[in-house]
Amino acid sequence: MNRLNTVATGRWRFVPLALLALAQAACAQRGGPQPQSQPSAMAADGATLQWNQPAVRANCPDRAGYLWVQPAEGPACIRYFASGDIDDARIAIVQFSGDRDGVMNQAPERIPGNTVPLRMLDAQRSRDRAGVPWVFMARPGTYGSSGDHRKRRELAEFHALDAALDALMQRHRIQRIVILGHSGGATAGAALLTLGRTRIACAVLTSGAYGLLERARRLKQSRDGLSDTTGSTQFYDPLEHVGGIVRDPLRRIVLVGNRDDRNTPFDLQERFADAVARAGHRVDVMTHAAEPPQNHDLTDRIGLKTASLCAREAMLQ
């Protein structure tokens, strides 16, 4: 299998279209849909997941699906939903969702996919498509994780996720991970890199938000030109913290976006990639088709396919 083309130093370069075909072929070679196992947790817990809630130790048992962590900003309970084969995995894909501000004020039972069985089923289906153990980790304030999603992109969110990844990998004895994030989830993945996270085989960041202040100004969603789109002036912008990324010659960082993205401007994604490359890290940039009119949500599950390919290559190292 051909390797992803990367740039070790200097400017990044665009991955050729052959990579897209290779990523699609990697999934196609696995044949049709594989039989989907039914994780035992599906029958055990069908409750609707709560949003924007405080961290309560009594509600965060020491069992699979829950991670009680204590980052600098205070304790957090981070929920995760995993495929059935993550124990002792050499590598697993960990997915972060994009922002969910559009649904977070709805009644929990009206939010799509907002039960343990549905989240577990989604994780297992993603694993079957990717051919790699899969974990969906809920960002603070969403899908049962404690925290306030209105305060996303602040250090409290990223520190909680960083601590949760440590706990996840220790509990399930996972050797390395591939981070997959879309939009705000890509920003979270990039932030984890800048916080010095190690044992990352690959970070696939699709349609990520960087240059947060400039983005908010362009979208006319900045308060007095000083805040992120959330209204916060305490936001953590990965673009400003690239120096924290740990050097790792085996790690791949892949950005995927669309030039006409009206939500997370593509030139700001390029700016982040350029800063990462100038810092001496290997980074690729890909463009891909997206859903109109926003051109923000990419088509063909390209994030999953790229993460799958990256994970399989990492297992050959």
Side-chain angles (χ1 to χ4, degrees), residues 249-269:
L250 298 180
R251 182 193 57 228
R252 304 176 187 281
I253 301 172
V254 184
L255 273 65
V256 192
N258 185 281
R259 288 192 176 279
D260 298 320
D261 193 326
R262 297 170 61 182
N263 186 340
T264 57
F266 186 71
D267 67 297
L268 296 181
Q269 299 175 48

Side-chain angles (χ1 to χ4, degrees), residues 15-178:
V15 176
L17 291 177
L19 176 58
L20 298 181
L22 183 59
Q24 292 166 351
C27 287
Q29 288 170 358
R30 288 186 284 281
Q34 300 178 13
Q36 296 167 3
S37 63
Q38 300 297 320
S40 58
M42 291 181 62
D45 189 349
T48 300
L49 298 165
Q50 300 302 306
W51 290 51
N52 293 329
Q53 59 182 333
V56 177
R57 186 66 179 95
N59 297 336
C60 196
D62 293 323
R63 64 178 176 86
Y66 300 80
L67 296 166
W68 181 258
V69 296
Q70 300 198 51
E73 293 80 8
C77 182
I78 300 299
R79 297 299 308 269
Y80 69 96
F81 310 90
S83 61
D85 57 349
I86 62 168
D87 285 342
D88 301 300
R90 289 176 54 200
I91 197 161
I93 296 173
V94 178
Q95 177 194 12
F96 301 120
S97 75
D99 294 349
R100 291 292 183 262
D101 50 309
V103 299
M104 68 178 179
N105 293 320
Q106 295 183 18
E109 60 271 15
R110 294 179 59 86
I111 298 174
N114 193 43
T115 66
V116 171
L118 290 175
R119 294 259 52 93
M120 294 288 287
L121 181 60
D122 182 73
Q124 190 64 43
R125 284 175 171 170
S126 295
R127 182 262 176 265
D128 292 340
R129 292 185 180 109
V132 180
W134 191 281
V135 181
F136 176 88
M137 183 170 283
R139 293 168 59 194
T142 73
Y143 300 109
S145 284
S146 68
D148 188 346
H149 191 51
R150 290 172 290 251
K151 296 181 179 180
R152 59 193 178 276
R153 291 191 288 278
E154 295 186 7
L155 266 176
E157 175 182 34
F158 301 143
H159 281 160
L161 292 176
D162 194 37
L165 283 178
D166 284 339
L168 174 80
M169 296 177 75
Q170 180 177 358
R171 172 181 287 173
H172 295 284
R173 303 172 301 281
I174 300 169
Q175 295 182 24
R176 289 196 296 166
I177 60 172
V178 170

